[in-house]
Amino acid sequence: MSSTDTAWTTVDVGSELPPLELPPISRTTLALFAGASGDHNPIHIDLDVAKSAGLPDVFAHGMLSMAYLGRLLTGWAPQQRLRSWSVRFAAITPVHGQPTCRGRVTAIDEVDGERIATVELGVTLADGTLTLAGDARIALA
Amino acid sequence: MIDRSFIGRETSSFEAVAERGRLRFFAHAIGEQDPVYSDLDAARAAGHGDLPVPPTFLFGLDVERPDSFAYVGEMGIDLRHVLHGEQSFAYHRVAVAGEPLRFRSRIADLFEKKGGALQFVVREIAVTDGDDAPVADLRTTIVVRDPRAGA
């Protein structure tokens, strides 16, 4: 789905964004994301460091899940319309975790001459664990 | 407890450029298949002057500074005990590949919960362009779990 497919006239409170289902997060994805994003914190890529911190394994960057949410948003609306967004990282995403990103319009308000949709955001794993929660403000056409 | 005198501390200003190749690598790493993020013609057709810098990428450009985690060390925090707590972005416009971007950050707040077992560091980062016009404002909250406090 590309953002041009969204029928803006039908967007209303309660409208749901098409969910974005991701494959399980592999160690390769974590290594690529560390290099591509610039976040080189070894806790995400080096098992020795994770174990030295008392963890059983490495875990995914929170910003990887937020980047997936970014895909959900820019797949729905052109990036120029994304005004602001905020997330809270509610739980760690373990390696092999399988995230699904969801969004739902919870309000539409007139702000500075623009119609702004507030989109409630969530990322959950296959076992139902909520890993990210937040919201975005997106200008409708 | 982290020394509260760190509140207001500014880190050195830092200039960075999102290169096209790096943005294509990022798109690959996150499985982004929308050609707007990797194909220059598609980006231009979508109204961007070059490949757009995707919504979360500015965070990575900031942490890429050579001393990105220095402030953590100066506060006496062990990076292994750090979790990302919250993250927000507000945009003034979409940044694109190749343009110089300047990052200025300051420690906005420090607080603790659970009797010090969880400590919170809030950083605000302002991103401006070559004309010193605002591009985006980021707010990052990190959580430090202090194992000595028995969380």
Side-chain angles (χ1 to χ4, degrees), chain A residues 30-117:
Chain A
L30 296 182
L32 292 177
F33 185 75
S37 74
D39 185 343
H40 301 163
N41 186 341
I43 202 86
H44 302 298
I45 46 179
D46 188 328
L47 185 57
D48 298 337
V49 172
K51 285 187 170 166
S52 78
L55 300 171
D57 206 336
V58 297
F59 59 96
H61 307 75
M63 290 305 289
L64 174 59
S65 291
M66 194 171 185
Y68 289 147
L69 272 179
R71 283 180 52 193
L72 177 84
L73 294 174
T74 60
W76 187 66
Q79 191 177 331
Q80 292 96 322
R81 298 205 199 150
L82 177 58
R83 296 288 173 264
S84 63
W85 60 315
S86 178
V87 305
R88 178 175 59 82
F89 300 96
I92 279 177
T93 300
V95 66
H96 308 313
Q98 188 169 3
T100 295
C101 301
R102 290 188 176 83
R104 190 172 63 92
V105 176
T106 56
I108 296 177
D109 301 293
E110 197 81 16
V111 180
D112 298 333
E114 287 186 316
R115 282 180 73 227
I116 300 288

Side-chain angles (χ1 to χ4, degrees), chain A residues 4-30:
Chain A
T4 51
D5 297 333
T6 303
W8 295 103
T9 51
T10 65
V11 172
D12 207 343
V13 172
S15 294
E16 296 198 359
L17 280 59
L20 179 64
E21 296 179 24
L22 284 308
I25 295 173
S26 67
R27 295 175 199 277
T28 299
T29 294
L30 296 182

Side-chain angles (χ1 to χ4, degrees), chain A residues 36-37 71 79 85 87 89, chain B residues 22 30 37 53 85 87 89 91:
Chain A
S37 74
R71 283 180 52 193
Q79 191 177 331
W85 60 315
V87 305
F89 300 96
Chain B
R22 181 65 185 285
I30 67 168
Y37 294 97
V53 173
Q87 182 63 44
F89 296 86
Y91 307 99

Side-chain angles (χ1 to χ4, degrees), chain B residues 40-95:
Chain B
L40 198 52
D41 291 337
R44 287 182 172 147
H48 300 287
D50 206 302
L51 294 185
V53 173
T56 62
F57 190 81
L58 293 170
F59 176 88
L61 275 186
D62 177 67
V63 297
E64 201 174 28
R65 67 172 71 209
D67 58 346
S68 64
F69 295 115
Y71 79 97
V72 173
E74 285 170 17
M75 290 183 187
I77 297 168
D78 183 335
L79 189 59
R80 294 174 306 169
H81 300 150
V82 168
L83 289 174
H84 204 161
E86 295 181 27
Q87 182 63 44
S88 70
F89 296 86
Y91 307 99
H92 301 278
R93 66 175 178 82
V94 177

